[in-house]
Every structure is written in C-alpha cells, then in structure tokens.
Amino acid sequence: MKRPQLTTADASRPETTRKRRSPLALTAVIVGVLIVAFLALSGVFADVLWFQQLGFFNVMATQWVASIGLFLVGFFAMAIPVYLAIELSYRKRPVYAKLNAQLDRYQEVIEPLRKLASFGIPIVFGIFAGLSSATRWETVLTWINRTPMGTTDPQFGLDVSFYIFELPFYRGVVAFASAVILICLIVSVATSYLYGGISLTGRDFRVSKSARIQVAVLAAIYLLLQGVSFWLDQFATLTGSSGLITGAGYTEVHATIPSKAIMAGIAVLVAILFIVTAVNGRWRLPIVGTALLIVSSLVIGNLYPWIVQRFQVQPSEKSLEEPYIQRNIDSTRDAYGLANVEVEPYDAITTAEPGALRNDAVTTANIRIIDPSVVSPTVRQLEQIKPYYQFSDRLDVDRYEIDGAVQDAVVGVREVNVANQEGWYNQTLVYTHGYGLVAAYGNQRSADGLPVFMESGIPTSGKLGEFQPRVYFGENSPSYSIVGGSGDKDIEMDYPAGEDGESQTRTTFDGDGGPKLDNFFKRLVYALKFQSEQIVLSEAVTDDSQILYDRDPLTRVQKAAPYLTLDSDPYSSVVDGKLVWIVDGYTTSANYPYSKIEGLSDLIADSDTSRRALAFDDINYIRNSVKATVDAYDGSVTLYQWDKEDPILQTWMKVFPDSIKPVSEMSADLLAHVRYPADLFKVQRAVLGEYHVTDAGAFYSQEDAWRTPNDPVSKSSEDVLQPPYYLTLSPGKDADPTYSIYSTYIPLATGSTTRNVLTGYLTADSNAGSEKGKVADSYGTLKLLTLPKGDTIPGPGQVQNNFTTDNQVSQVLNILSNGGQTTVINGNLLTLPVGGGLLYVQPVYVKSQAETSYPVLQKVLVAFGDKIAFEDTLDQALDKLFGGDSGASAGDTDVPGNGDTETPTETPTDTPTDGATPAPTTPSDSGSSGDSALDTALKDMQQAITDRDAARAKGDWTAFGEADARLTDALKRALEASK
C-alpha cells in the first residue's frame, strides 16, 4: 500500500507550526470552558452569599438538592431504558437478515455514527427528562411530607390531601413513565427495522423473535401504565370542570367515572394479550384488543357520557344536579374560608332623621376623608423635601394609638430616588437609602385642605415615638447599593440639614443587610452580576462593604418562602422602634375537590390593583397562612405561622424546618398593625357574590347572584371594580366599632339590565389585637349584611350619579373648577352602615393646573337615602344631612373656620331618577350684584393661586401661606356670591 504523498505546500510548512496548533487550540477551548463555567457558577455563588446573609440558606439548599436530585433521577430514568432499548435491538438483530437496497444505504451512513448515536440519543432524551423532572421539586417534596387535611371528599371518601398532595404526584409519575416507555418503544422499532429485526416487503411482514419479545413487552408495560392513568382519571373528575360546576356532576358520577374504570380494565386486558404475544408470536389478539381499546375510549369514554348528558341530564338538570351542586357549594365555601360567614339581615332605612348618628359616635369620628390614592402628590410636595426622595403613587392605610385612642392613618415611606443622580459613585455609594415615614390622620384636614400629620419632617418627628428612620429596603429602592465600607469618613447621604436644607448629614450603614465584599473574588462575582467594573476598581469599596440588592419586600419574602403566593400590597408600619414592611403570604391550591376554580389575577384586579400575570393563576383553595415582616433598615425577613390549622403550610414547614416562627413570638406592637389582607378579601368577596346562596335550587337558577360594583371614580377607560376599603366601623346594628375592611354588592347583571342598587355589605374584622402572641378571637370574622330586597338602596354608581347631576353640587363644582384653571378630583366613595342605614362619604379635592400643583381637600359630599349634602367639612355636611344635628362629631370638627361661613348645602329630595342630567344653575342666575362679587372673587382666586405657586417654586413658605389664606378667603366669597 502506498503512503500518502505530501504536497509542496505541506512539505514547505514548518514542522513546528503543525505541532503547535493543537496545544494552542486546546488551550483556547479550555480557557473558554473555564470562563463559561465561572460565569455560570458566579451567579450560583452570589445566591449562596445572599441566602446565607438572610438566614434562609436551608431554603436555597433544599431547592437545589431537590432539583439536582430530580434531574438525576429523570436523566437516568430516561437515558438508561432508552440506551438498553437501542442496544438490545442492535445486539439481538438477525445475523443474516435480508435488507433492501435502501436500508443498505441507510446502514452505510449510520454505521460509522452508531456508537455515538447509541449514547447520544439517550443523553439528549435524558437531559430533557431531567430538566422536566427538576421543575417538579415542589410536587415531590409535598408528597413526601404530606399532611392530612382532615376532610374527606363526598364521592370516594378519601382525605382531601390525596387530591392536593398525592394525585398530582401519582399522575406525574405515570405520565413520565409512559413517556419513557413510549420513547423506548419507538427507538426499539426503529432500530429493529434498520437492522432487519422487523421487515416489511410488500405484504410480507416479519418480526424476529427477539424484536417481537422486546416490542410486545414494552407495549404491555405502556398499556398497563395507561390502565393506571385511566384509574387515576376517576379521581381527577372531582377537580375538573363539568361546565355547570367544578367537580363531578351527575354525568361524571354515573357515566364518566364508571367508564374510566372500564377503560382501565380493558387496558390491563390488552396488556396481557401483548404478553401472550411475546410468548406465542401471534399478533392478532393484541391488535384486535388495541382496536377495542381505541373504540372503547371513543364510545364508552366520550359518546356514552354525551348521551347521558344530552338525553338524561339536560331535560331534568336541576333535579339531577342538585346534590352535586350542593357538594360544590359546601366545598367551595370551605376551601375559600367562607364556611363560617356570619349573615345578618340589615333593614337599612333611607330617611335621614336628626340625631341619627348618636349611637355611631366612634365610627363617625373615624371616617377617613384623606384618600390615599389621591393625596400622594400632596404629600410629595409637602414632605418629599429633596428631589432625591420619592413617595409611592398610592399611600397605605394603617392605624396608631395616639393619646390613648386608636387613629386611622394614611402613611407613606420617603424612599430614595437615584434617577436624577449622575455617575455610578453617587447612585451606588452616596444615595443609598430613604428617610422616614410620613403619617397623616385619616379623619382630619387643615383649614386649607391639607393633611394633618401625626409624623412628618426630616429628621422625623411626631406622635409615633423613636424609631430607626433610614429606609435601605423598600418598594422603590435602587437595584443595588454598596454600603458600610467607607472607612473613617461617612459618605452616604443621610438627610438634608440646616435651616435652608442645603447642608447634608452623612452616615454609614452599620447593620447586616447584604453579603460582604471582603475579598477580590466576591467583588468580581458581583461586578459580573451587575455588569459594573466599578465594584472591583473603586477605592470606596472596602473589606467592610456590603452589597444590598433584591430590596423590594415582596422579592425578599418570595425568595425566603417560594411556596407562598404573596399579597400585592405590602404596607409599612412603625413597630417596636423599627420601620418594617408587613407582607401577607397565602398557601393556595387548584386541586381541592368540588371547589370552584378561579383565576387569582382576575379576582384581585380593581381600580387600585392592575391585573398581573401569575405563573400559577388558577386556585380553588386559599389561606392567609403566613405574616411576614421585612425590616426597612437591614432587610431581615421574619416569617410567622399565622394559620396554625393549614395543612399545606404544615407540609411546607416539614420541607423547610425552622424557617417559620410561631405566632406566639409576634410582639404586641406588631399584632396591633397586622390586618386582614386585601387580596384574600377580594377573592372571598368575588366567590361569596355567588356562593352566599347555600340552597342548591336557588344557586342553580342564579336568582340572587351578586357582584362587586365598578369604581364610580375610576379614570380607567375600562370598567374596573371598586376596591375594598379599610375603615373603623360597626358591622351591624349592635356591633362594636372595630378596624375593618369592607366591600359592597350589587345584583349580577350586565348591559341594560344592570341595577346599581345595594344587595349586600361584606366586612372582615381586621383588628388582630394588641397582646403579645395572642390573636384576637374576633379577627378575621366575616360578616355579610344582607339588605332588604323590597327597598331600593342606591349603590355607589347611583350615588355618584346623584352627586354629579345635582344642581347645587354641580354649581359649586363649576366654581371650584375656576373656569378650567383648576381640576376637581372626586376621592374614594366610602359606604358606612350607620344611623340604621347606609351613609356615603366622598372627599372632593381641587388641583391647580400649574406644573407644581397638588390636590387640596376643599369639600365633602355625603348622602343618606336620597338626600345629599355638600359642605366644607364632613362635620358640617353630616349636620346638614341629618336635619341640622347628626348626633355625633366627625374627625374634622376642629378645623379652623369650621362653621364660620354658610355654604351650599343640602340637596332636596327630588334628585332626578330617570338618569337625565339637569342643567346646572350658572352664576348669572344670582343677579348683577352677585355677578360682580363672583367675578371679583374668581379673579382673587386666580391671583392667589398664581402667587401661591410662585412662592412654592421659590421655597418662600411664608408667602405661600399668605397666598393660600387669600385663596381660602376668595373661595368663601365666591361660594357666598354663587347663592
């Protein structure tokens, strides 16, 4: 054999060059692999540091160990059987098989790659199987640590935990095993065909003995798995939807469930036929059996249930479905925590009699007239102080004990805003935190319509006592900051100081809020994570530095407790000398038998909460199982077991031991600030709108279904629901006033059939008490006030329409709008069960069109029955509404100037009811003298607004106050002239 000849180019090429190429290429590959590995592992290392610092490393470790373990299980459970299937088919191939020309060509192409394919195909399938298995770590861990629910389903008599923890696991295992066997069957047939074990020439079909045994056994195993799947499908009918209800109805119980059992039996029988074929080599019986299985699935599994539904159930649906509807009602109310709702008839009166509020003095004194959705710009202008601070667009509602009395408060956190700061140094090292909490009395206003603060200013001062005001962790904190390592010199901007606010006080973070950057490797890891070389290069980053990130309270709690669904509205409170965020956590499931499945994002969406995309949106079970706190200074997360009876939480506490503290460790101050969570209440009000009806017959006819009314003051182009509101109120005629969350109901209807009249009023007791480690017995009590069906109690939409179309109200609103120079903003429309009826209260704000303007509370609208009053203060409006004396004082009784002037007033009872808008009375109706006085007053108002805005822009607060006083005086004169 001749040796290959070198070409001229090969001969002229230096031998050393040819030898050095391989080591250089290998070195480049190794370096590239190391870089990729370092980049991948650096992210994992950063997570390790973060979880270790937070104290929840066991949560991360458990997830990683479970995921890696399941990946390996999935990988080998798929790869090994597929490899064996390929190898057995190849090794047992016929030695002298007759192959056609086409197969010969295939073999010539594939044979050189056979070894690679025999390993590569199983590895590829194994990787996909492993990745799929790794995502099921929650299902596997909850199955291993499952806790009985203590309630049995009404069909099979099994504990509900079987459906929540076990059935998903068993179905997942069966589905995975079926996929493995099916892939093995496919590769076995393909390999046998390629190497002659299975041959098909014209009508001649031949199968070798080894191929026959392998294929038949695999088919038998697959069919046995299908039999198990059919059997498990019986139980799945209890969590599926039959159209009318969630759960098994008449058709499912009498047709679908029996058909599933029959199909399981047929699948097992056909599997046995395949085993027989593996022995005797006859394919006729298993083929006939397989055809029978397919036909049976169509006839027994689909056609028969359809016949029963169409010809037996539909003609007598109400009577036949009634027991199953009752199952659905009972299970849904239990799963959503509605089983113990207290229902109380509330015969609301509509006549506003003098002294009617005498027995509701506490509720009346706590009516909130400061709207947290409106006053954020006002608080921002008055309390932001510097442009590197910010407040959320919507403030929160809380309550504090002030001078021995509990006061509802509107609160906001002054967080840092680095958007306008130049350079990495300023954004990361200097402007690191916000400062303080601002709290305003919910029921008070100043003479010029501004909030009255119980806590404000920098440094913060007021009624809330001493607390750590620095906010390093908040809803709007920067993505990351580096703190605590400035050495002898403080570089973090703390707060503006001095009379002019131009000097600055500096500080250095001294808590334990993030991983330490105490070596070069850690700095490099975070430089890669945040793509900033400054973390490595800056001299201000020292061995004492800490890096703070993942600073949003929801993010921190979600990482510490990945099994929880979190409430969309964390809120801040001063607790035990600290500023903390309080977060509500829910355990949820979509597998509670017979309970109605709902989309969580749809249930919680309203004018305050936009619809959000959730990974697992469907639920039919929910519990507020955890209360969590996040320290605003050091970011520490504490989880408390709020619902001690929830089996799902008990299961997760077995998975992550020692990560949740008992409620007995909650301080008295913390208990005084936790509340009934808004998202849970929204879910319950939506479900109760339909499931307040507990009789199956009435439920079927939907004769008394309710819904939440749309928000009458929403600016959205789409209809959005009115949010629930937190207020101190008395839920019922003989109930004591307590801090509560409430919502109203109107009839369920759409389009022209909609009637905006009240049918129900739902409250939840939000007062958890103030005794260490002990939750008040009344906390969480749901009370549903049902209104008389014969009387027409106006709903929020109807009341808002009455306000808008009233002659005297519209006239005053025209004056307040000042010819388009100012904007009138309607605040939240509150509904309170007082005086034996339902009182509506709405603050009315005025905002200038100037660039730096903000809403100012100017008037209050109230309604009771068909009477309306519109005054400067709530106290005046209530007195006017109830014949000159409401019998109780409102919280704004002591507003300076209250009662000094007369303002338009109560509206007569002839409010239009046909929906027509009456023509507003214009100022010219008052005569020429009124016109002159009104014109003068309007001009004075305009000048005062201009002067006030100019003074605010210059920071001249003395001139601002003088201009604001002139504006108030001009407004009073305009109102007088309008009469």
Side-chain angles (χ1 to χ4, degrees):
M1 184 175 179
K2 292 183 180 180
R3 298 179 62 183
Q5 298 296 316
L6 291 174
T7 65
T8 304
D10 292 332
S12 62
R13 185 177 300 143
E15 185 69 14
T16 54
T17 303
R18 296 200 303 273
K19 289 183 177 179
R20 288 177 181 174
R21 276 190 171 180
S22 180
L24 287 175
L26 181 60
T27 302
V29 170
I30 292 174
V31 171
V33 170
L34 290 176
I35 291 174
V36 172
F38 178 77
L39 292 175
L41 293 176
S42 65
V44 176
F45 183 64
D47 285 341
V48 170
L49 294 176
W50 191 90
F51 276 97
Q52 282 182 332
Q53 186 279 324
L54 193 66
F56 285 88
F57 178 72
N58 67 315
V59 173
M60 177 190 174
T62 301
Q63 292 181 72
W64 275 93
V65 170
S67 297
I68 293 172
L70 287 174
F71 175 85
L72 295 175
V73 169
F75 177 84
F76 289 113
M78 174 65 78
I80 292 175
V82 172
Y83 173 78
L84 293 175
I86 294 173
E87 281 297 300
L88 284 174
S89 297
Y90 175 75
R91 294 188 180 187
K92 298 297 182 179
R93 70 193 185 282
V95 179
Y96 301 106
K98 293 182 179 181
L99 302 177
N100 57 41
Q102 188 174 8
L103 285 179
D104 276 338
R105 287 194 299 269
Y106 287 159
Q107 282 194 13
E108 289 178 3
V109 174
I110 295 174
E111 188 60 29
L113 302 174
R114 186 187 62 78
K115 282 289 185 182
L116 178 62
S118 64
F119 288 100
I121 292 174
I123 288 174
V124 170
F125 279 113
I127 290 174
F128 282 106
L131 293 174
S132 176
S133 299
T135 62
R136 306 284 293 179
W137 66 271
E138 293 187 9
T139 301
V140 174
L141 291 183
T142 53
W143 173 74
I144 294 172
N145 298 278
R146 59 192 179 276
T147 304
M149 301 285 288
T151 303
T152 57
D153 79 86
Q155 178 62 33
F156 298 104
L158 299 174
D159 190 273
V160 170
S161 62
F162 171 80
Y163 300 90
I164 293 179
F165 302 124
E166 298 182 52
L167 185 59
F169 174 78
Y170 297 145
R171 297 186 80 188
V173 170
V174 170
F176 182 86
S178 297
V180 172
I181 298 302
L182 183 60
I183 292 172
C184 289
L185 183 59
I186 292 172
V187 298
S188 297
V189 171
T191 306
S192 296
Y193 177 73
L194 186 61
Y195 288 97
I198 298 175
S199 62
L200 179 62
T201 306
R203 296 184 178 180
D204 186 17
F205 176 71
R206 293 184 181 184
V207 182
S208 67
K209 181 179 179 181
S210 60
R212 181 191 73 225
I213 294 174
Q214 184 172 342
V215 171
V217 170
L218 288 173
I221 296 174
Y222 181 78
L223 287 167
L224 285 174
L225 290 171
Q226 297 314 297
V228 176
S229 180
F230 282 128
W231 187 261
L232 294 176
D233 286 346
Q234 297 179 90
F235 307 105
T237 58
L238 270 61
T239 57
S241 178
S242 63
L244 183 64
I245 59 171
T246 298
Y250 183 91
T251 299
E252 286 73 28
V253 169
H254 293 85
T256 303
I257 291 177
S259 70
K260 296 294 183 182
I262 294 172
M263 293 296 297
I266 294 175
V268 172
L269 177 61
V270 177
I272 295 173
L273 295 178
F274 272 98
I275 296 296
V276 173
T277 295
V279 176
N280 62 20
R282 297 176 182 175
W283 292 93
R284 185 181 302 274
L285 287 179
I287 292 174
V288 172
T290 302
L292 174 64
L293 180 62
I294 296 173
V295 173
S296 299
S297 65
L298 296 174
V299 176
I300 301 175
N302 294 284
L303 182 60
Y304 175 59
W306 179 83
I307 292 174
V308 172
Q309 178 69 27
R310 181 70 176 83
F311 297 103
Q312 185 175 356
V313 175
Q314 288 187 4
S316 306
E317 188 173 52
K318 183 176 181 179
S319 59
L320 293 180
E321 295 286 12
E322 188 167 330
Y324 308 104
I325 294 175
Q326 194 62 55
R327 292 179 179 182
N328 175 253
I329 293 172
D330 296 339
S331 296
T332 300
R333 289 173 64 91
D334 182 66
Y336 285 97
L338 300 171
N340 297 316
V341 174
E342 298 179 6
V343 180
E344 176 183 318
Y346 188 71
D347 297 326
I349 63 175
T350 57
T351 304
E353 299 291 341
L357 303 184
R358 188 164 287 111
N359 295 327
D360 297 291
V362 174
T363 298
T364 305
N366 282 281
I367 296 176
R368 179 171 49 76
I369 57 174
I370 301 298
D371 184 352
S373 298
V374 174
V375 299
S376 180
T378 306
V379 173
R380 191 178 299 125
Q381 286 292 329
L382 299 178
E383 288 293 325
Q384 183 169 300
I385 312 296
K386 291 291 183 179
Y388 48 77
Y389 289 129
Q390 63 179 325
F391 288 92
S392 296
D393 291 336
R394 183 179 181 275
L395 305 183
D396 291 314
V397 177
D398 200 358
R399 73 275 192 201
Y400 290 92
E401 184 174 338
I402 307 297
D403 300 328
V406 176
Q407 297 277 351
D408 290 3
V410 174
V411 300
V413 175
R414 188 186 291 109
E415 297 193 55
V416 68
N417 180 11
V418 300
N420 297 321
Q421 302 306 315
E422 295 292 337
W424 178 89
Y425 188 91
N426 277 338
Q427 292 182 346
T428 308
L429 301 172
V430 177
Y431 294 94
T432 59
H433 62 280
Y435 195 94
L437 171 139
V438 172
Y441 291 93
N443 61 342
Q444 296 183 26
R445 49 160 289 187
S446 68
D448 50 2
L450 300 176
V452 178
F453 295 105
M454 62 176 71
E455 188 75 25
S456 62
I458 294 180
T460 183
S461 63
K463 300 285 188 178
L464 303 187
E466 296 293 328
F467 65 94
Q468 171 57 263
R470 296 170 182 87
V471 182
Y472 284 89
F473 294 84
E475 294 179 287
N476 300 297
S477 295
S479 59
Y480 77 99
S481 295
I482 297 176
V483 300
S486 57
D488 297 333
K489 181 181 179 181
D490 295 333
I491 63 172
E492 296 178 46
M493 200 289 301
D494 200 20
Y495 59 85
E499 294 183 2
D500 56 1
E502 293 301 322
S503 60
Q504 294 179 338
T505 301
R506 305 277 178 167
T507 188
T508 297
F509 178 78
D510 62 357
D512 182 14
K516 284 196 172 184
L517 303 178
D518 51 9
N519 59 56
F520 175 80
F521 180 75
K522 291 181 181 179
R523 295 173 201 170
L524 181 59
V525 165
Y526 283 106
L528 292 172
K529 179 178 178 65
F530 293 107
Q531 299 181 9
S532 174
E533 72 283 357
Q534 300 295 334
I535 296 177
V536 174
L537 301 177
S538 176
E539 295 180 354
V541 180
T542 70
D543 290 348
D544 294 325
S545 296
Q546 300 175 41
I547 184 166
L548 312 182
Y549 62 99
D550 287 339
R551 301 162 75 175
D552 177 63
L554 291 180
T555 301
R556 298 182 75 78
V557 175
Q558 191 69 82
K559 294 181 74 171
Y563 48 88
L564 294 177
T565 299
L566 302 183
D567 193 274
S568 59
D569 185 24
Y571 56 100
S572 55
S573 292
V574 175
V575 175
D576 299 321
K578 299 178 180 179
L579 180 57
V580 302
W581 297 94
I582 301 175
V583 181
D584 286 285
Y586 310 113
T587 48
T588 61
S589 175
N591 297 311
Y592 197 98
Y594 275 105
S595 176
K596 184 177 182 181
I597 296 177
E598 296 277 10
L600 178 60
S601 58
D602 291 330
L603 297 184
I604 65 175
D606 56 27
S607 61
D608 283 347
T609 306
S610 59
R611 187 173 282 99
R612 55 178 179 166
L614 299 174
F616 301 99
D617 195 49
D618 288 343
I619 64 167
N620 67 355
Y621 173 93
I622 186 170
R623 291 291 186 271
N624 178 208
S625 52
V626 171
K627 300 284 188 183
T629 62
V630 178
D631 193 306
Y633 182 72
D634 62 19
S636 57
V637 175
T638 307
L639 307 176
Y640 296 97
Q641 182 187 10
W642 188 252
D643 189 339
K644 295 184 288 186
E645 305 299 326
D646 178 31
I648 296 182
L649 181 62
Q650 293 173 13
T651 296
W652 283 114
M653 291 176 69
K654 297 176 187 176
V655 176
F656 301 115
D658 303 323
S659 63
I660 301 179
K661 295 182 178 181
V663 72
S664 59
E665 295 190 24
M666 294 184 73
S667 69
D669 202 10
L670 177 57
L671 279 169
H673 288 281
V674 300
R675 66 190 189 189
Y676 199 82
D679 283 357
L680 175 61
F681 186 77
K682 293 176 189 179
V683 169
Q684 291 176 321
R685 74 173 179 180
V687 174
L688 196 62
E690 185 177 5
Y691 285 86
H692 70 277
V693 178
T694 56
D695 176 74
F699 183 93
Y700 174 84
S701 63
Q702 293 285 294
E703 61 190 40
D704 195 25
W706 303 340
R707 72 173 181 89
T708 304
N710 294 331
D711 190 350
V713 299
S714 171
K715 300 299 187 295
S716 173
S717 59
E718 300 178 357
D719 289 338
V720 289
L721 301 182
Q722 187 178 41
Y725 297 117
Y726 290 97
L727 290 173
T728 297
L729 53 83
S730 300
K733 290 187 176 180
D734 299 322
D736 294 328
T738 185
Y739 188 68
S740 305
I741 184 173
Y742 86 88
S743 188
T744 58
Y745 289 110
I746 62 174
L748 177 62
T750 57
S752 60
T753 60
T754 302
R755 296 179 64 242
N756 205 290
V757 295
L758 285 189
T759 55
Y761 188 96
L762 179 66
T763 69
D765 191 317
S766 293
N767 181 18
S770 56
E771 182 178 345
K772 182 182 184 302
K774 183 178 180 181
V775 182
D777 294 336
S778 60
Y779 171 86
T781 300
L782 291 168
K783 179 175 283 190
L784 178 62
L785 304 182
T786 58
L787 300 176
K789 297 180 180 179
D791 296 335
T792 300
I793 310 297
Q798 192 176 54
V799 169
Q800 189 66 55
N801 182 70
N802 292 344
F803 285 161
T804 305
T805 58
D806 180 80
N807 279 335
Q808 295 186 5
V809 171
S810 61
Q811 180 179 346
V812 176
L813 293 179
N814 286 336
I815 296 174
L816 292 176
S817 64
N818 192 21
Q821 297 299 312
T822 58
T823 302
V824 176
I825 301 174
N826 292 320
N828 45 209
L829 183 59
L830 306 177
T831 311
L832 296 98
V834 295
L838 289 164
L839 171 70
Y840 285 94
V841 177
Q842 182 177 62
V844 177
Y845 293 81
V846 175
K847 179 182 177 182
S848 170
Q849 295 290 353
E851 183 178 354
T852 57
S853 63
Y854 52 84
V856 174
L857 178 59
Q858 292 289 1
K859 307 287 285 185
V860 180
L861 275 163
V862 293
F864 192 93
D866 56 1
K867 294 185 69 177
I868 296 173
F870 190 34
E871 300 295 328
D872 291 342
T873 68
L874 175 61
D875 196 56
Q876 290 176 345
L878 292 178
D879 282 341
K880 182 66 67 175
L881 186 67
F882 290 96
D885 179 18
S886 66
S889 297
D892 62 349
T893 301
D894 297 327
V895 174
N898 185 0
D900 293 346
T901 61
E902 256 182 12
T903 54
T905 66
E906 176 186 334
T907 301
T909 60
D910 56 349
T911 301
T913 58
D914 58 358
T917 304
T921 304
T922 62
S924 60
D925 295 335
S926 302
S928 59
S929 61
D931 289 347
S932 177
L934 181 59
D935 290 342
T936 301
L938 291 177
K939 290 179 181 178
D940 291 344
M941 286 174 62
Q942 179 60 45
Q943 185 60 47
I945 291 173
T946 302
D947 293 344
R948 188 180 65 170
D949 291 340
R952 179 173 52 247
K954 295 178 181 178
D956 187 347
W957 300 111
T958 301
F960 176 88
E962 186 273 332
D964 199 67
R966 286 192 284 115
L967 175 62
T968 302
D969 177 69
L971 176 61
K972 291 178 180 179
R973 288 188 282 114
L975 292 173
E976 285 293 319
S978 69
K979 296 182 180 181

